[in-house]
Amino acid sequence: MVPARSDADRATNAVLARRRLAQGLRRYRQRAGLTIEDLARGLECSAAKVSRMETGISGIRIQDLTAITHLIDFAESERRDLEELVRRARGREWWQEFSDVVPPGSGTFFGLEDGAATIEIHATSLIPGLLQTADYARALVGSVNGVAPELLTRRVALRQRRQRLLDRPDAPRLTVLMDEAVLRRTIGDGPLMAAQWEHVLRCAESAGVVVQIVRSDAPVHPAEGVGFTLFSFEDQDLSPVVFAEALGQQTFVDEPDPVRVYVDALASAQRVAQAPDISLEMMSKRVKELRTGG
């Protein structure tokens, strides 16, 4: 029998290592029969700090872990596993090379995206970044007033770098549900959009990528007008995470009940969406319209 992999073995990047570390701390605390308040008293810190450590908001240092081992009994393998996760959680990841253009909190998004087994996107106004061409991204980012040319170049490069995950042997399964309004919207000009939709078509015709269009006359569904991304992971111990953004405000949802609301909303949208083959036909027709000016 193949032995089960440890939490450290399953951590594929610093963000997932931090999440596994947080969930491990919570699991071992509960196993010891301690409350958050009990652990906080033993560590001589606030309950809020322990809560932040258990949700991954605050990092856990080796010193913190050493103090915790005086309060909770760990097997030697468990302790080594947690120490390795602490080290990995402090590791450097590729998106840190773009720190000049990565908004606060976006590192968490990139880590979830990079480590997910499945990515499901409900897009209401724009083509998702994983499917954008460089020209589309440049036109989109450049539409914001005051963006310096060098920052524009860096932001487009960041978007292109993210897309490399779709070329990996272990690429995540990507499902994109897009409102028909996205199909009709023009960013830049007609030729740019034609090339963009041709790119989406190529992606959608490859294994592991599904694109479905929700027609404007489709029945109203719970996800109507709400754009979000659902990340799920190969390791069932890691709960799914929802990411939503509005007016620059980022929200991550990982509590089971709220996540279920998004999962159900996504399923409702998929039920009224066009089948993948019909969606491909709609995108192909749109390319012809853009090429001919129709």
Side-chain angles (χ1 to χ4, degrees):
M1 179 181 295
V2 177
R5 292 186 299 164
S6 68
D7 282 344
D9 290 335
R10 294 193 298 263
T12 56
N13 61 48
V15 171
L16 294 192
R18 193 177 305 118
R19 288 178 60 79
R20 294 190 195 284
L21 181 60
Q23 77 172 18
L25 174 59
R26 181 169 59 251
R27 182 172 66 247
Y28 294 134
R29 173 184 59 75
Q30 292 172 340
R31 185 183 69 182
L34 298 176
T35 65
I36 287 178
E37 290 73 17
D38 293 334
L39 187 56
R41 279 193 294 271
L43 295 174
E44 297 182 346
C45 69
S46 68
K49 177 180 177 179
V50 174
S51 179
R52 289 194 298 271
M53 289 194 293
E54 290 193 357
T55 55
I57 296 174
S58 293
I60 300 175
R61 303 169 301 169
I62 287 293
Q63 302 95 302
D64 297 322
L65 185 59
T66 299
I68 290 170
T69 59
H70 293 145
L71 303 169
I72 298 176
D73 289 330
F74 296 105
E76 182 62 22
S77 60
E78 293 171 343
R79 183 186 60 77
R80 287 198 304 268
D81 193 20
L82 291 174
E83 289 177 350
E84 177 61 21
L85 285 172
V86 170
R87 282 188 283 271
R88 292 195 186 188
R90 299 177 65 183
R92 184 171 179 81
E93 299 294 344
W94 67 259
W95 51 86
Q96 291 174 283
E97 299 172 11
F98 294 89
S99 59
D100 54 326
V101 291
V102 172
S106 292
T108 298
F109 174 86
F110 297 141
L112 295 171
E113 182 178 75
D114 203 60
T118 63
I119 301 173
E120 298 169 276
I121 302 173
H122 185 247
T124 59
S125 60
L126 298 170
I127 295 171
L130 287 177
L131 298 179
Q132 292 177 8
T133 63
D135 286 340
Y136 179 95
R138 191 173 295 107
L140 182 61
V141 176
S143 67
V144 179
N145 292 331
V147 177
E150 59 273 17
L151 288 182
L152 173 59
T153 298
R154 290 283 287 162
R155 288 179 181 175
V156 173
L158 169 61
R159 205 153 299 190
Q160 296 297 106
R161 175 61 181 84
R162 285 172 53 199
Q163 296 174 6
R164 290 189 194 176
L165 68 85
L166 296 179
D167 297 324
R168 294 185 331 213
D170 63 340
R173 296 181 298 279
L174 175 64
T175 299
V176 179
L177 302 179
M178 283 191 280
D179 285 353
E180 188 176 2
V182 181
L183 188 63
R184 299 298 169 190
R185 188 174 187 182
T186 298
I187 302 294
D189 56 27
L192 184 154
M193 289 305 304
Q196 170 63 75
W197 285 111
E198 286 170 342
H199 175 69
V200 175
L201 281 166
R202 286 192 295 272
C203 292
E205 290 167 349
S206 64
V209 178
V210 174
V211 178
Q212 293 179 255
I213 304 296
V214 180
R215 288 175 55 96
S216 56
D217 58 357
V220 175
H221 55 87
E224 195 80 42
V226 181
F228 60 91
T229 301
L230 173 65
F231 300 109
S232 300
F233 306 92
E234 181 181 5
D235 180 4
Q236 297 303 306
D237 287 339
L238 270 182
S239 60
V241 180
V242 172
F243 170 81
E245 184 176 32
L247 297 177
Q249 297 298 310
Q250 300 180 342
T251 302
F252 293 94
V253 180
D254 59 5
E255 291 297 324
D257 289 343
V259 167
R260 172 53 57 185
V261 172
Y262 282 95
V263 170
D264 291 344
L266 193 68
S268 296
Q270 195 154 27
R271 282 194 292 271
V272 301
Q274 297 299 298
D277 57 339
I278 296 177
S279 297
L280 289 175
E281 292 175 5
M282 292 177 68
M283 289 185 282
S284 296
K285 181 180 178 182
R286 181 58 176 154
V287 169
K288 292 178 182 177
E289 292 172 350
L290 290 163
R291 290 295 186 196
T292 60

